[in-house]
Amino acid sequence: MTLGRPIMRLAEADSTNQVAAELADQGAPEGSTVLAEVQTAGSGRLGRRWASPRGGLWLTVILRPPAERLDAWPTLTMVGGVAVAETVADLLAGEVGEGLEGSLDVRIKWPNDVLLNRRKVAGLLGQARLGGPGVEPAVLLGVGLNLNVDRASLPPEIRDTATSLSAATGHRFDADAALESLTERLDRWYGTWLREGFGPARGRCLALSATVGRSVQAIGPKTAITGEALDILGDGALLIRSADGRETTVRAADVSLRSG
């Protein structure tokens, strides 16, 4: 298995997930990847717009897990988050000076953000496709990584909470090398997920978590809870304990980290 091949490179796309969805519905093989230099209508979780100016890695990989693993597909977003976080750490270790490297902290914010020094540097979006006659179901794993993005090109409302590898380090990063590193990590972790389930990636999520052990606020369609994030469960859900001692399992929510 080799993710990232074949690859479709586009100068511009509304959304790589949308292009990948069309390819998946036409039977594109597992590993097929759509990469765009710019997205004009990139999307994130809960219907949010994802800013995708020139200088980032904006891509979607088509996965086709076997039928017996399909119910666990939501955990693939976190599996991808581990791959992205490790890729960012690899790129930083390879490109920046020893003194600077020690001041760069890479973390995963549940469920789909990668943070660099507490600012968002990457996000992921997983979407399932049901398939059809002669076409197997698919999972689209979208990745947005702010590689060489100028923070001034980001929308004003996120400039204080987002960053890029180049903005954080003062170094430019080779996009092709970053893409190769990312697809290799995705391939490795996806293979582990297929063989062993979410457990190994869950362990890495916990080790890199910016969320577990912190005071958080989770707001979702049917959820509004403030408390301490206790754990990431085996199905990828977040376990939160509120001030009254009640424990709540959260599977879909916007989670913010609170100070204190």
Side-chain angles (χ1 to χ4, degrees), residues 7-20 22-23 33-39 54 56 58-60:
I7 187 167
M8 175 186 286
R9 294 176 180 266
L10 303 174
E12 182 178 291
D14 290 349
S15 161
T16 59
N17 266 36
Q18 183 57 47
V19 176
E22 295 171 1
L23 294 175
T33 299
V34 178
L35 176 74
E37 293 181 20
V38 175
Q39 289 186 120
R54 195 171 306 279
W58 322 121
L59 64 129
T60 300

Side-chain angles (χ1 to χ4, degrees), residues 49-51 119-120 146 151 153-163:
R49 178 175 176 268
W50 175 265
R119 287 178 169 164
K120 183 170 179 175
N146 294 338
R151 286 178 62 197
S153 68
L154 296 174
E157 63 270 19
I158 66 170
R159 285 177 194 163
D160 290 338
T161 57
T163 190

